[in-house]
Each structure stands twice: as structure tokens, then as C-alpha cells.
Amino acid sequence: MEQSIFSLLPPLLAILMVILTRRVLLSLGTGIIVSALLLGKGNVIQSLSYLWNAVKGIFVEDGGLNSWNICILSFLFLLGAITALINIAGGSRAFGEWAMTKVKSRAGAQVLTAIFGIIIFIDDYFNALAVGQVARPITDRHRVSRAKLAYLIDSTSAPICVISPISSWGAFIIGIIGTVLATHNITDVSAFTAFLKIIPMNLYVWATLGLVFIIALRNVDFGSMKTHENRTMVTGIPYDPKKEIPGEIKEDLPSSENGTVGDLIWPIVALFAGTIAAIVWSGLRESESGATAMDIFGNADVASALIYGGVLGLIVAIILFFRQTAKNSSMISQLLFKGIRVGMKSMLPAVMILIFAWAIITLIEELGTGVYLGNIVANSQLNISFLPVIMFAVAGLMAFATGTSWGSFGILLPIAGQIVAATDISMMLPALAAVLAGSVFGDHCSPISDTTILSSTGAGCNHMDHVITQLPYALTSALIAGIGFIVMGLTDNGLLGLATVALLLAIFALTTKKNKAPQKTVMEENP
């Protein structure tokens, strides 16, 4: 069953079920069981062994703890606790009220969110969760749906990280590019220089970012996103209260009337500063003297840094909590522990989805789904002019089916290098750029992708609402990028491909209609 067409069955079944049923855990669980049965060739005992190893591997690796996964899950719980304490201190309310006086429109709230996403480029996990915490009070006050917020976060996390050399993504990609260049004896360009040259060729990134600002500035909505936006503008409720919302505080917690903007800002600043400082510190500790910034970020322990930043943010949130509640409550300690408990509990849906997603990704990797798709490309007779768009499409399918852009990078970048080396070496950089672009596109769309899960968590959006509403936007960006890759391949000119993307974005902006606010909207009321 491994590395065969049957290896596509589990991811496609899970994705189809999750779209049809909207029950994420049931769908992922079905995919996990089918994967284990295929690996065990129908033998129940062997299948249970594969299943156990996949689950165990989430927490235990090479005889020790899987520090990356444990740190990510712990950071989610810390973030939930910080959010609850900020709410109790009145920080979210105060920040929302302040934002209404500074950010005057729904378009402004969305543009500001996108700018936050671009600025925080260090790591996609950190980006998705940190931007959500800062932007949510602003977008809620301006009646922007959580589905739209999740789209803005997701479209400025991985797309920015994949073109940033000073990020966890950049270090990983440059390492693979270096191996590809060395394998084919390409010495006239370094891996770092090649990465920089690839940036303008990563057409999906530029199509996605361009679309984000067009959507925000012109208030263009289509598909199910339009339904979410219209409902939010009418009711003022940014999400469907009947659905499970990860990170949303459902239990009643008091909120101080004396909260200040600082009660939200300072815990987030501490979280951000602590995380960046820990990243730099851990990178310096593992790097040799004279290391570059890229080396430092490449050697950094990002997962542990998130814990250090989270703990520092929690400490600051607790200090501000005591300052705000000391005058108003005689049961401060009980309220503190209740807030932490409720905040951590609010993250359980996201944690469970993430664990299930990691398990199915592990089993899919053992089935060789990505290798099977890669071999199809390697063994086919391709017209070299269409190689960029074909690699873009295959990378998108692979990342969508496997839920991991990094896994797609690792498999397809070397395959693209092999194909180009055997045909036309001048197409090396466009082909590599197309793999990076397609991998981000597929990851962007996949309901089993960890970055998609964390974007919905950061926004406080139902996971499947995020997947369904974002899909038409991602497909639009992919279509624009795909046409650009065709032009790039036919002309052997990356700038013409980028110009094509810019032209198509301009046509989209000029031909799409604005989403007019519903007549029954109550925007003028204070939500």
C-alpha cells in the first residue's frame, strides 16, 4: 500500500468527510484509522501498533520527549490563560474602545491586521497566535467576522515566512536549496543568494498578499465569507455562537470596568519580546562565533522560545490582573485560578484537533503519499516550459493531501532539481520557486494543516468555517499565480510572471463588486 495510489485514500477521505460533515475530529479520526489499516495490511494487531506509534510519537521521540510538539501544545494553554486574565482585567474591552477611536472603519481594521501579520514574520505559529490576540478586539468592534480575521491571519503568516530569510522557514528552505545546488554541482550561486532571487518568483505569495489588501480596502466578499460578513455586520456577533470556537471563553468571567489599553498591550509585548529574545539567545548558543542572523534563526529553538515568551506574558498578565482586581474582589486567588483554568480549557478544541492532525500526518508520511506524488512528476515526460506551473500544482496537491508544506518542500525541491538538471538548468530557480509557492498554497487550503488550525485558533474562529470561507480566496490567488507561472515558464523571465500577477490583481480589483452592508445593519450602535 505504501507509495501507491492507495496512499491517497486516507487524506482524501479525511478531507472529504471534514467538508461534508464539518466534524473535524471524527473526520481526522477516520483518516487515522484507515491509514493504520492500510499500513497494517488489514491486520488489526499491526494496525493498532502503527496507530499507537503515531500517537506516541507526538509526545515521545528517539527515547525522549518530543519537545517541539509538547512546547506548541503548552504554548496554546499558556495563551488561553493569558487571554482569560486580560479579559478579567478589562484589557480587551479597553483596547477595543480605544481602537474604535483610532481605527475608523472596517477596512482599516482589516488592513491593520494584515500589517501586523507582515511585521511578525519570525515564525508562522507565533504569527498566527500573536496577531490574533492583538487584532481580535479591533476587528470585533468593527464587526469583522472571525472567519475574515482567520483568513487575514492565515494569508500573512506562512506566505510571509516562506519569503523571509530571517525566519524558521527561511533557514529550513535555504538548507534544502543548498543541498540541491551541491548535488548538481551548481557553484555560481550560493544557497542564500538563490533564496533571495526566488523571492520575486514566488508568485502565490504576491498574489495572496495583493488579494488580502484588495479584499480589505474594497470590502470585496464572495462565497460563504459573504454570509459570515453580512451576519456579523447585522448582529455584531463575529462568529456563530452555536458552533465550537477554539480559544473563546465560554464561561462567565467578570471584566473590570477600569481596564486600560496597557492591560492588553503589555502582556502581548512581554510575550513578543520574550519569544524573540529566547529565539536569539538559543540561536546564539547553538551557533559559532561570527554567525549571521540567518544562522542564528536557523539554529534557534523556536518551540522552547514560545514557552519562555508565554510564561513571561502570563506573569505580566497576572501582575496586571492583581492591579485591576485588588480593589474590586475579596476572592482574588480563586478568581485568578478560575481564569487560568477557564482560559486553558478554552484551548482544548484546538489542542485536540492539532493532536489528531499530527497523528494523521505521521501515518500519511509512513504511507509515502508525498513520495508517490513526487514520483509521478519525476517519471512523467514534461514540457520544460510548463514545469513551473506543473510543480506548483503538484506541490499544492501534495501539501493539501499531507497537511504539511515543510514535508512538501523536503520531497519536491530535490525532485524539481533532478528534472531541471536533466533538461534545462536555467529553469532551476523558477522550478524551486514554484514548489515553494505550491506548498504554501496547499497548506493554506488543507483542513489538516497545523498552520490552518492555529490560524483559526488565533482568530477564535470555528475551524471548518475558516477552511470553507478561505478556500475561494486561496483558489483565486492560486489561479492568478498559476497563470503567472505559465508566463514565467514560456518566457523564462520571472519579472514577466510577476507583472502578470500584478495585472491580474488589478483586473480583479476593478471588476469585482463591493459587498454592501445589509440594510438592517446596526453598525451605528455600540456593540
Side-chain angles (χ1 to χ4, degrees), residues 468-488:
I468 297 298
T469 54
Q470 176 169 264
L471 191 57
Y473 294 76
L475 290 173
T476 301
S477 297
L479 177 62
I480 292 172
I483 296 172
F485 278 121
I486 292 173
V487 172
M488 181 188 297

Side-chain angles (χ1 to χ4, degrees), residues 1-13 30-44 46-48 50-51 363-364 366-369:
M1 299 297 180
E2 291 88 342
Q3 298 182 24
S4 70
I5 193 171
F6 292 103
S7 66
L8 294 174
L9 180 60
L12 294 181
L13 177 62
T30 302
I32 289 169
I33 292 171
V34 172
S35 299
L37 288 171
L38 287 173
L39 287 167
K41 295 178 173 59
N43 185 300
V44 176
Q46 289 185 4
S47 298
L48 288 174
Y50 279 109
L51 182 60
L363 293 169
I364 288 171
E366 291 193 44
L367 279 170
T369 304

Side-chain angles (χ1 to χ4, degrees), residues 186-422:
I186 299 175
T187 58
D188 59 337
V189 62
S190 67
F192 183 73
T193 302
F195 180 87
L196 295 180
K197 289 184 176 181
I198 282 173
I199 291 175
M201 300 181 191
N202 196 326
L203 303 184
Y204 180 75
V205 168
W206 303 114
T208 298
L209 293 177
L211 195 68
V212 161
F213 284 98
I214 291 171
I215 296 295
L217 290 170
R218 289 183 51 79
N219 195 31
V220 176
D221 296 308
F222 48 91
S224 57
M225 183 73 81
K226 187 172 183 179
T227 302
H228 282 260
E229 286 287 271
N230 287 344
R231 186 191 65 232
T232 302
M233 283 189 280
V234 171
T235 66
I237 303 174
Y239 56 88
D240 188 343
K242 297 178 182 178
K243 296 181 179 179
E244 194 171 61
I245 310 296
E248 194 66 29
I249 308 298
K250 295 182 178 180
E251 296 186 36
D252 290 333
L253 290 175
S255 179
S256 173
E257 298 289 341
N258 301 317
T260 65
V261 172
D263 291 322
L264 180 138
I265 291 295
W266 293 121
I268 301 301
V269 168
L271 170 68
F272 184 81
T275 300
I276 298 300
I279 286 174
V280 173
W281 175 74
S282 64
L284 285 171
R285 187 179 59 180
E286 297 296 328
S287 302
E288 299 178 357
S289 59
T292 64
M294 188 193 73
D295 294 329
I296 293 171
F297 281 94
N299 294 322
D301 185 352
V302 176
S304 296
L306 288 174
I307 295 297
Y308 293 130
V311 170
L312 182 60
L314 181 60
I315 291 172
V316 173
I318 290 173
I319 293 171
L320 295 174
F321 163 85
F322 277 117
R323 183 175 66 84
Q324 284 293 347
T325 58
K327 301 178 182 179
N328 304 323
S329 175
S330 59
M331 303 174 68
I332 297 176
S333 296
Q334 290 186 20
L335 183 58
L336 171 65
F337 289 115
K338 180 181 180 182
I340 292 175
R341 176 183 61 81
V342 170
M344 295 177 71
K345 182 180 176 182
S346 71
M347 286 296 178
L348 279 176
V351 167
M352 292 304 299
I353 293 173
L354 199 54
I355 290 174
F356 274 55
W358 281 336
I360 194 173
I361 287 171
T362 298
L363 293 169
I364 288 171
E365 184 178 355
E366 291 193 44
L367 279 170
T369 304
V371 175
Y372 169 70
L373 291 172
N375 287 336
I376 291 176
V377 179
N379 296 329
S380 61
Q381 299 296 320
L382 301 177
N383 182 330
I384 194 65
S385 296
F386 294 102
L387 180 62
V389 71
I390 291 173
M391 295 305 301
F392 174 69
V394 172
L397 177 60
M398 181 183 295
F400 181 76
T402 60
T404 167
S405 52
W406 284 36
S408 302
F409 297 156
I411 293 171
L412 282 182
L413 285 174
I415 289 176
Q418 291 171 5
I419 295 173
V420 169

Side-chain angles (χ1 to χ4, degrees), residues 448-518:
I448 63 174
S449 161
D450 48 5
T451 51
T452 305
I453 293 166
L454 292 177
S455 293
S456 58
T457 301
C461 172
N462 176 270
H463 179 58
M464 282 313 300
D465 281 349
H466 170 44
V467 173
I468 297 298
T469 54
Q470 176 169 264
L471 191 57
Y473 294 76
L475 290 173
T476 301
S477 297
L479 177 62
I480 292 172
I483 296 172
F485 278 121
I486 292 173
V487 172
M488 181 188 297
L490 292 173
T491 63
D492 195 19
N493 190 313
L495 291 179
L496 284 179
L498 187 60
T500 302
V501 168
L503 176 62
L504 292 174
L505 284 172
I507 293 172
F508 177 86
L510 294 173
T511 57
T512 50
K513 295 181 180 180
K514 294 184 178 181
N515 180 25
K516 297 181 179 179

Side-chain angles (χ1 to χ4, degrees), residues 428-449:
M428 178 66 75
L429 296 186
L432 298 182
V435 170
L436 297 179
S439 299
V440 172
F441 161 56
D443 185 82
H444 206 184
C445 299
S446 178
I448 63 174
S449 161

